[in-house]
Amino acid sequence: MSSSTILMPGSVSLQVLQTMYWDSPAVELHPDCRPGIDAAAALIARAAQDTAPVYGVNTGFGKLANTTIRAEDMVALQRNLILSHCSGVGAPLSEAVTRLVMSLKLISLGRGASGVRGEVVDLLTDMLAAGVSPVIPAQGSVGASGDLAPLAHMTAVMLGEGEAVYGGKTLSGSAALAAAGLSPIVLGPKEGLALINGTQVSTALALAGLFQVWRCAQAALVTGALSTDAIMGSAAPFRPEVQALRGHQGQIDTGLALRALIEGSEIRASHRSDDERVQDPYCVRCQPQVMGACLDVLRFTARTLEIEANAVTDNPLVFTKDGTIVSGGNFHAEPVALAADQIALAIAEIGAISQRRVALLVDPAMNFGLPAFLSPNPGLNSGFMIAEVTTAALMAENKQMAAPCSVDSTPTSANQEDHVSMAAHAARRLLTMADNLAAIIGVELLVGAQGVEMRAPLQTSEVLSAAIKCLRGEVDALGDDRFMAPDIEAATQLIRSGAIVEAAGPELLPDL
């Protein structure tokens, strides 16, 4: 683990959130948070001694909110809440996502509006530092009243229940804590509710999807430029004057990036005149318009998720300034669900236009003089024929998964929670879609590089040559047919890891 990242709840930046996801550092709340946390906990402690009903402190939960809980049962109430809500199913979240969930929960609790004691915050912090990662089943949240089931699985480990990964092994919660030199906690009034109310699982999954997709989007600009040069396409549609007349920032940024990537290409210079073609197909010519719109959507959702990552989303909320405890609805993850739906649409569109460029490059009727399926000896060899079919399959799969989840509400909890966001699986599918997208762009990297190399002795730009060199460090140019799957996987990994973006030069590409 790297050294701790200090978090100031309410102002954790998107850049820090990206570091938290990619690098999984240990994190700590800024010391200035502690007085607010302690003040809110004291207010809850006083409410627990009062007879006035306060939701989740001395009452039951959900439809059982009208049930009064005796003071001597309050500890059992919180423990029972966690154990009963550990109802998740499915494969566990990745360790990177789990650690982001825990960190986001720390940020929320650190705002001092949840009423938990400092000991709760300390245990979460210590678990992150020690590398204790709860096993959190991915399915079971409808994204309203918080991500109840998955967050309960996180919290269970804090009680010595459930399971956690520690030192690369899956252990019982109690064994994992003991191995890390930590002790389970006994939850006080409202603390169980504060830990499982909240949108942290949905938000972490959406952020993970966003960060992976942005890498893919940047890589798609590199592969789009490669494909443009490979088919001897025109860079004129990328001129800044064209984009300025439209005015969308993403389109402007995309046009600038494509021109910078192709600048200095001998291939481009070779067909500036005497080219009988008037216009390129839309998948080449309209890259600024399509990719730009996707970048704008991703940036918009990034702002939404940055706000959500800093939010207090449990219930009830504790206001220490006036001494009130208020039941609200911040646990409803509608902003995350809508953001995830928009990210899904962007993924589908980036993949769709990339796939069309793959199809263009392997088609001898459209690729301006390149051999069929980019094989040096087509007929005896099939070249990239079925690699293109694979991209079509992945594109179709992503289109189907891009259907909105946020419109599919259903009543739960005996109609008390009668409108829900479905944010958790809206966000979770983004990771699968991002993997599909990386594979589509990986295939475009393969065919774009192959097509450019077939234009020899003409050379592409220095920037794109660097991207090809990065690829050739992992995958040789295709001659006779060979077992193709490892080539696609290697190229896909270059997209996922950001290696192609690093090779081409991230300074040429738009930032999130």
Side-chain angles (χ1 to χ4, degrees):
M1 298 293 175
S2 58
S3 59
S4 293
T5 296
I6 304 301
L7 304 176
M8 177 55 78
S11 59
V12 179
S13 69
L14 194 68
Q15 183 177 4
V16 171
L17 293 168
Q18 289 190 72
T19 299
M20 288 162 60
Y21 176 64
W22 292 120
D23 299 340
S24 294
V27 298
E28 297 178 23
L29 294 179
H30 194 282
D32 289 351
C33 298
R34 199 55 170 248
I37 293 171
D38 292 342
L43 186 57
I44 288 295
R46 290 196 296 272
Q49 300 304 314
D50 201 346
T51 57
V54 177
Y55 177 72
V57 176
N58 53 15
T59 74
F61 307 104
K63 194 71 171 181
L64 303 175
N66 293 326
T67 302
T68 300
I69 304 300
R70 298 176 302 176
E72 59 268 29
D73 292 331
M74 288 182 185
V75 169
L77 174 72
Q78 299 299 316
R79 182 178 178 82
N80 290 345
L81 173 71
I82 301 307
L83 298 179
S84 68
H85 284 49
C86 286
S87 301
V89 299
L93 300 178
S94 70
E95 187 169 354
V97 170
T98 297
R99 289 181 62 83
L100 185 56
V101 169
M102 297 166 72
S103 300
L104 295 181
K105 179 55 75 174
L106 267 181
I107 294 170
S108 182
L109 298 178
R111 294 286 298 272
S114 299
V116 302
R117 293 166 297 152
E119 295 93 318
V120 174
V121 171
D122 291 342
L123 181 54
L124 261 180
T125 302
D126 291 343
M127 287 168 64
L128 282 163
V132 177
S133 295
V135 174
I136 302 177
Q139 295 169 277
S141 172
V142 295
S145 204
D147 293 315
L148 295 171
L151 286 173
H153 283 273
M154 179 199 78
T155 306
V157 176
M158 301 173 70
L159 309 184
E161 301 287 349
E163 291 184 321
V165 175
Y166 178 73
K169 298 180 180 179
T170 300
L171 307 172
S172 69
S174 58
L177 290 178
L182 303 175
S183 300
I185 197 170
V186 176
L187 296 175
K190 193 190 176 285
E191 289 179 339
L193 190 60
L195 286 163
I196 69 171
N197 254 194
T199 65
Q200 286 76 36
V201 172
S202 296
T203 304
L205 286 165
L207 284 168
L210 172 70
F211 299 149
Q212 290 190 27
V213 171
W214 190 261
R215 276 190 178 177
C216 289
Q218 289 183 310
L221 295 177
V222 177
T223 59
L226 267 176
S227 295
T228 300
D229 226 18
I231 67 150
M232 291 187 157
S234 174
F238 309 152
R239 286 176 52 178
E241 300 94 325
V242 175
Q243 324 319 326
L245 283 173
R246 192 76 177 273
H248 295 294
Q249 190 60 51
Q251 179 177 332
I252 292 168
D253 292 346
T254 299
L256 289 172
L258 290 169
R259 287 182 68 84
L261 290 163
I262 295 173
E263 182 67 31
S265 168
E266 294 177 0
I267 299 173
R268 172 71 191 105
S270 72
H271 62 96
R272 288 183 185 275
S273 58
D274 301 324
D275 190 332
E276 72 272 15
R277 297 170 298 171
V278 177
Q279 295 179 330
D280 293 318
Y282 288 2
C283 65
V284 172
R285 184 170 22 129
C286 297
Q287 288 180 81
Q289 291 76 17
V290 176
M291 287 298 297
C294 292
L295 297 188
D296 283 340
V297 165
L298 294 175
R299 284 168 167 164
F300 173 79
T301 59
R303 300 288 85 76
T304 297
L305 295 174
E306 183 180 39
I307 292 168
E308 190 73 9
N310 283 280
V312 182
T313 54
D314 70 289
N315 181 63
L317 299 175
V318 182
F319 296 95
T320 56
K321 286 187 177 180
D322 63 5
T324 58
I325 302 172
V326 180
S327 285
N330 281 3
F331 50 70
H332 200 296
E334 192 77 3
V336 182
L338 290 170
D341 281 346
Q342 292 173 80
I343 295 169
L345 291 172
I347 294 172
E349 282 298 277
I350 294 169
I353 196 168
S354 175
Q355 196 283 327
R356 293 317 305 155
R357 291 191 297 266
V358 173
L360 180 69
L361 275 163
V362 302
D363 186 348
M366 298 291 290
N367 65 18
F368 202 56
L370 295 173
F373 303 106
L374 300 179
S375 171
N377 187 14
L380 177 62
N381 295 284
S382 296
F384 290 98
M385 179 188 294
I386 304 304
E388 184 270 327
V389 173
T390 296
T391 65
L394 295 173
M395 175 188 68
E397 189 174 321
N398 273 0
K399 286 179 178 179
Q400 291 158 10
M401 283 195 287
C405 298
S406 56
V407 297
D408 192 21
S409 177
T410 188
T412 62
S413 192
N415 283 299
Q416 176 73 8
E417 298 154 10
D418 60 349
H419 183 279
V420 300
S421 72
M422 301 300 182
H425 66 267
R428 189 178 71 250
R429 68 179 158 159
L430 300 179
L431 302 179
T432 300
M433 295 180 72
D435 282 342
N436 291 345
L437 178 59
I440 294 170
I441 299 169
V443 172
E444 186 181 10
L445 176 62
L446 292 170
V447 298
Q450 182 94 352
V452 163
E453 290 172 331
M454 284 179 163
R455 299 295 183 187
L458 296 174
Q459 299 295 309
T460 189
S461 68
E462 289 186 10
V463 171
L464 293 179
S465 293
I468 294 173
K469 182 179 178 180
C470 177
L471 172 66
R472 292 296 173 238
E474 302 294 331
V475 181
D476 292 335
L478 185 64
D480 289 336
D481 284 347
R482 62 176 182 248
F483 190 53
M484 181 69 74
D487 292 1
I488 295 175
E489 178 54 36
T492 299
Q493 185 55 34
L494 292 175
I495 305 301
R496 285 197 198 105
S497 68
I500 283 296
V501 169
E502 287 297 321
E507 68 279 0
L508 301 178
L509 299 167
D511 289 329
L512 184 57

